[in-house]
Amino acid sequence: MTGSPNLLTTIFAFLLVLGPLVLIHELGHYLVGRLFGVKADAFSIGFGKEIAGWTDRRGTRWKLSALPLGGYVQFAGDMNPASAPSAGEDGLTAEERSHTFHVKPLWQRALIVFAGPLTNFALCVLILAGFVYAHGRLVAEPEVVGFSETSAARSAGMKIGDRITAIDGSPVASVTDIPEHTVYFPGKTVNVTLQREGRTVVLPVKLANEEVSDNFGNRARIGDIGLDFAVPVVSGIMDDSPAEHAGMKVGDRIVALGETSIDSFREVPPLVMPKAGAKTTVTVLREGEAHVLPITIGSAVQKDEKGRSVTVGRIGVESGFGRLEPVGPIEALGIGVDRSFDLMGTIVTGIRQIVTGDRSVRELGGPIKIAKYSGEQFSLGWEPFVGFVAMISINLAFINLLPIPGLDGGHLAFYAAELVRRKPLGLRSQEWAIRTGVALVLALMLFVTVNDLASLPIFGG
């Protein structure tokens, strides 16, 4: 188990996650408001007492406030940071009134409000698209090559060689399409469509309900289908390696090492690592034809579990977990959009499962848990950390779109009512609704904070 980061690292990482995300969210509101000629009285990162700030030439007070759990843009005409409309505009000139938020047309107000969650969504898209553009898209054939010890799929009648084509009617083109239909549904029965010897077979598979933990001891309950997709097809060959000298090629499917048949790439390392320097054969299928290639297993030095240097066998192939296909910027952007919507879908699934009792409310996380995960991901390097930022960003977008007065979604609900009624809700009604919504949000924050504290090891979590 990896040691958890220290408190200072955790606080720094948390601020590094939340600060930019709040800034980007509020900049969305601010920039679209400015586009439509709305004056911003204040732009704050954090709530409460001002720590530092300045006033720009447009009269906007930019400030950093004491409680760093959010932020706000207070437009001209807002009674408070929650954008409750003010009734006290009688002293304003016609010019000043024209720059207040609440005199703008309905569609402009809706766009200003929607811009905050949209920027958080866009950030997630850009991060995920950047990863795909930089590394390529993983393509892994959904062909069954093995089973776990207690495999739900094997118990349902699945066989080695089956190729999954759909789960609950949703097409499956790659192994990467499978988790969204399985991981988040422990104990659920899913209908798996597969191709077997040229015919279509549909099997109901009851996913295993398993608890897993990461390197930091964080536990989660997942649905496990119990399959191995490590197809033993060579996706890369290292320069000057035994595989290269033996004549292996990218696309070869390894079917045997010596006299031992191979179904999964996971079977290759245990056969190779203890035999550094040994001469053997590797049998591969290439364009449907079998080739038996003599090979001398190479060697490499690595650390064992106790930190000792040991010599292990290597043949120098990359395989088993698909191939990375390069994609252009436009395609990467499309993949980023799809994956962002998939992430939002998992949030909806999680909330629905909590409401229906399929998941415990203890799985809800708040600021303390976010801070904990921030520090852990930061300790793993920049790429895992930036990926975590993308996940939190899409969560912020979703939460802010909930139709709770005081949140962006609550204001959009007001505007929907205004569109139907052909007139806005009364100021007093909006004010009380926003107060109720803010109270609800604060109560939820208190609940998830207590939940977070209860999950910490010091409290027996």
Side-chain angles (χ1 to χ4, degrees), residues 225-283:
I225 196 169
L227 292 175
D228 180 2
F229 296 104
V231 179
V233 175
V234 177
S235 60
I237 297 176
M238 300 176 187
D239 293 336
D240 197 30
S241 65
E244 184 181 56
H245 295 312
M248 295 178 68
K249 296 181 179 180
V250 171
D252 286 350
R253 178 167 184 147
I254 302 172
V255 294
L257 273 170
E259 300 299 321
T260 306
S261 62
I262 300 295
D263 293 313
S264 168
F265 185 74
R266 299 180 197 276
E267 299 170 359
V268 175
L271 294 173
V272 170
M273 292 177 68
K275 298 180 180 179
K279 296 181 183 296
T280 186
T281 59
V282 57
T283 305

Side-chain angles (χ1 to χ4, degrees), residues 352-380:
R352 184 174 65 246
Q353 289 175 337
I354 289 173
V355 171
T356 58
D358 291 332
R359 285 190 180 272
S360 169
V361 292
R362 291 178 62 86
E363 296 190 36
L364 282 174
I368 294 176
K369 191 169 287 187
I370 293 174
K372 179 177 182 291
Y373 291 161
S374 298
E376 291 167 354
Q377 295 302 308
F378 184 75
S379 72
L380 295 175

Side-chain angles (χ1 to χ4, degrees), residues 89 95 101 119 122 142 157-158 165 169 182 230 239 276 328 335 344 372 411:
E89 297 182 5
E95 171 66 16
F101 176 79
T119 52
M158 209 170 292
T165 58
T182 58
D239 293 336
I335 294 172
M344 193 168 282
K372 179 177 182 291
H411 292 293

